[in-house]
Amino acid sequence: MVYRNTDPPCCSFCLRFLEKDPPEFRCDGCKLECYCSTACKDEARRLYHSSDGECAAFEAGIEAEAIDFEFGDVPERFLLRVLSQAGGWRTPGGPMVVGAGVDRVRMLQAHVPAPDTEERGRLAGISRNTLRLMDESVEDGVRVVDPSGDEPATTSRYGEAELTQLLCSVNCNAHTLYANDRSSLVPVGIAVYLQGSAFNHSCVPSAEFCNVGTSLTVRSLRRVQAGEEITVSYVPTTMNLKERRRCLEGQYKFVCACARCVAEDVS
Ligand SMILES: [Zn+2]
Ligand SMILES: [Zn+2]
Ligand SMILES: [Zn+2]
């Protein structure tokens, strides 16, 4: 998902920098999403940005800003995108689809704060607000159907608890997106990659992630032996031990015990 008001503006679908500012092709509904072509606009509409679904929810978020509501890109708008793109949600009261990806995102590594903590309360509030923006019942949540199941289709729900878990998964696994231009170092958005989320961390990684546009590439940094685990660093490897520990514990809730951390801890 591309952030609001990137500078320079870039296509919400393919992440190319836009030649014209203001953009030529803007979503007529929410006016948030901008595109480089009608082809990108139509594809976004077809795949997730439906007029009664995500677009209407974005519009509701922007309208609510007039009454002191903060409709942030992260996590508020991104959560709606995950439910629409990975979940297949298209309209209030309409279902998400089991196996469409959203469950796989929810099952990724996540650190859900303990019940009755301030942080858990904050996330639960975001979940409830998300359901309100979607015009879904806060009590019942979003319906999830399994069309391949026995008739009638088996149904479950994504309510406050499920959305909170999803928020935590997204927080733990999100990647920064850069515009579809190899020289660009300007962060323009955020994405979660199911396969990219499988790599474990090391402070002496054997590979690194490289984002260009919506694609994620994993590039080896040295020769990798057959059968050796491929690792990446979740933090810049130029950080010292103290900085790495602070970042890793803060966002990913673990203390790294890789060879480099052990060696630097002793010295
Ligand atoms: Zn485009
Ligand atoms: Zn729209
Ligand atoms: Zn380490």
Side-chain angles (χ1 to χ4, degrees):
M1 183 205 70
V2 171
Y3 300 138
R4 284 158 88 168
N5 307 321
T6 58
D7 184 20
C10 76
C11 177
S12 302
F13 186 75
C14 73
L15 277 74
R16 277 197 193 91
F17 281 129
L18 300 178
E19 282 162 21
K20 294 195 176 155
D21 189 5
E24 220 176 335
F25 306 97
R26 195 179 273 279
C27 175
D28 316 312
C30 64
K31 313 241 176 359
L32 264 189
E33 305 285 284
C34 318
Y35 304 100
C36 68
S37 63
T38 47
C40 280
K41 186 174 174 178
D42 292 347
E43 229 9 38
R45 179 79 66 197
R46 186 177 73 81
L47 292 172
Y48 50 82
H49 196 65
S50 65
S51 40
D52 293 337
E54 186 187 88
C55 185
F58 284 5
E59 266 190 278
I62 293 162
E63 277 169 24
E65 286 183 328
I67 48 163
D68 207 21
F69 174 77
E70 212 174 305
F71 184 50
D73 284 325
V74 183
E76 289 82 358
R77 198 158 71 89
F78 190 51
L79 188 58
L80 291 166
R81 172 60 50 84
V82 173
L83 296 167
S84 305
Q85 188 165 9
W89 179 78
R90 293 288 179 271
T91 178
M96 295 198 297
V97 181
V98 160
V102 74
D103 273 330
R104 291 174 66 202
V105 176
R106 184 163 66 98
M107 292 307 159
L108 294 173
Q109 181 76 36
H111 304 288
V112 183
D116 301 326
T117 57
E118 199 178 312
E119 181 60 3
R120 179 68 168 266
R122 189 184 72 83
L123 296 175
I126 292 169
S127 300
R128 287 194 299 273
N129 282 337
T130 301
L131 290 167
R132 289 184 188 109
L133 294 179
M134 296 166 83
D135 211 5
E136 297 278 358
S137 158
V138 172
E139 283 70 38
D140 298 340
V142 189
R143 213 153 42 91
V144 186
V145 296
D146 182 356
S148 65
D150 301 331
E151 284 297 325
T154 37
T155 305
S156 60
R157 299 260 170 193
Y158 259 49
E160 180 190 303
E162 289 76 14
L163 288 183
T164 299
Q165 168 93 31
L166 186 62
L167 264 174
C168 296
S169 308
V170 163
N171 185 33
C172 198
N173 293 282
H175 283 257
T176 302
L177 293 177
Y178 298 91
N180 209 339
D181 170 344
R182 282 189 182 275
S183 60
S184 171
L185 293 172
V186 185
V188 295
I190 180 173
V192 169
Y193 297 90
L194 285 169
Q195 285 179 317
S197 298
F199 290 88
N200 281 325
H201 164 86
S202 168
C203 303
V204 268
S206 54
E208 65 178 2
F209 286 134
C210 177
N211 276 87
V212 177
T214 54
S215 75
L216 177 75
T217 309
V218 183
R219 202 161 45 189
S220 63
L221 293 167
R222 55 177 162 80
R223 188 170 279 278
V224 177
Q225 302 299 318
E228 182 190 336
E229 180 182 10
I230 296 175
T231 53
V232 295
S233 181
Y234 297 171
V235 296
T237 49
T238 46
M239 284 180 167
N240 65 30
L241 178 67
K242 201 173 152 199
E243 292 168 329
R244 297 201 306 275
R245 286 212 164 136
R246 189 173 45 76
C247 286
L248 292 170
E249 284 188 62
Q251 191 174 354
Y252 304 101
K253 319 289 178 205
F254 72 90
V255 179
C256 185
C258 75
R260 181 179 165 198
C261 285
V262 171
E264 289 180 14
D265 202 18
V266 173
S267 57

